Amino acid sequence: MKTTKILDLKRKKNVIILAHYYTLSEVQDIADFVGDSLALSKKATETDAEIILFAGVHFMAETAKILSPHKKVLIPDINAGCSLADSCPAEQLELFLKDYPNHKVLSYINCSAKVKTLSDIIVTSGNALKIVNALPKDEKIVFTPDRNLGAYINKETGREMVLWNGACHVHDQLTAEEVYKLKAKYPNAKVLAHPECKATVLALADFIGSTAAMLSFTKEDTANEYIVATETGILYEMEKQNPAKKYYVVNNPETCSCNNCEYMKLNTLEKIYNALLTESPEIILEEEVMSKALISIQKMFEY
Ligand code: 13P
Ligand code: SF4
């Protein structure tokens, strides 16, 4: 019922619905496009819809607005934030950067529009290694906001990027002990991990990558079982792609029963319907912020 009403409104108002893999399965089902943050940001530049409804979190909808400033960008719940983006307030970063003149500032896309204005290049978990490897070997770099992704890039590239001390509460809470427990229970399972996890978890992974990269890996790979160290929403697409395979998500029993990003789960069908009906909440950004932030995002697309 709600789904039909959403689809009707979507057609009438020429809306594209973009959704991240971490959203609820019923939200992924009504979306025009489901992807990781890299694919979603590309999609936002390509659409000719008049309205973008972003079922994801605030920084993702902001990125879509910066890339399509003349379109209306809606987010079903304005409180869908991101602990990682929140761990790097722009004012504090501005002060921090004063200690690092002559450094390029690389920021993971999980940051506010204001942090993007302080950055030279934006990266996602899908392209960070490629971009860092393409920079001159002697380039001095400050990496924000994720210390885990930054440490992973340092390890893989042999760089010594200065790291902002931020993290995602969903990924950073996962422990090697929990991975070991699952490995003991399912000895034939391969371990997949998102690079926002701690180094101790990444050290146990057979494959490390963005949500889209993990999905491509499991699609092609011949194993039948996987231990998945990321947010649970990804399991919906994994199971759709390969229903015969088994997936075990890593949880932290002390902090949660299930590794959900509560911000992503704020995107419900009810709120999507209301957002389409009222055309709000809308993402509004200052012109100056948008034009400055666009430079660092566009730089990412050059690589
Ligand atoms: P992806 O870049 O894999 O989409 O990850 C985004 C995110 O928020 C992970 O927590
Ligand atoms: Fe942010 Fe973590 Fe949620 Fe991803 S999972 S949106 S990084 S809080």
Side-chain angles (χ1 to χ4, degrees), residues 44 52 54 60-73 282-285 290:
I52 298 174
F54 212 117
M60 294 179 177
E62 270 189 349
T63 307
K65 179 68 188 175
I66 295 163
L67 287 165
S68 300
H70 303 302
K71 292 190 197 298
K72 190 175 264 192
V73 177
E282 185 185 350
I283 300 289
I284 308 280
L285 290 166
M290 284 200 282

Side-chain angles (χ1 to χ4, degrees), residues 20 22 36-37 59-60 108 110 124-125 171 194 196 210-211:
H20 192 271
Y22 294 168
D36 69 350
S37 24
F59 77 82
M60 294 179 177
Y108 186 31
N110 296 41
T124 72
S125 51
H171 291 86
H194 195 281
E196 287 175 24
S210 73
T211 44

Side-chain angles (χ1 to χ4, degrees), residues 118-130:
L118 301 172
S119 308
D120 295 299
I121 314 175
I122 297 305
V123 303
T124 72
S125 51
N127 60 21
L129 280 176
K130 182 177 84 175

Side-chain angles (χ1 to χ4, degrees), residues 84-122:
L84 178 53
D86 290 348
S87 69
C88 187
E91 307 69 37
Q92 287 177 28
L93 178 63
E94 205 166 4
L95 284 176
F96 180 84
L97 291 177
K98 288 195 195 306
D99 290 338
Y100 300 99
N102 314 317
H103 281 60
K104 273 243 177 322
V105 182
L106 261 63
S107 291
Y108 186 31
I109 197 162
N110 296 41
C111 64
S112 68
K114 285 219 169 118
V115 166
K116 288 183 175 76
T117 68
L118 301 172
S119 308
D120 295 299
I121 314 175
I122 297 305

Side-chain angles (χ1 to χ4, degrees), residues 22 57 59 82-84 110 168-171 196 261 263-264:
Y22 294 168
V57 292
F59 77 82
C82 167
S83 56
L84 178 53
N110 296 41
C168 154
H169 74 298
V170 177
H171 291 86
E196 287 175 24
C261 171
Y263 301 116
M264 285 284 185

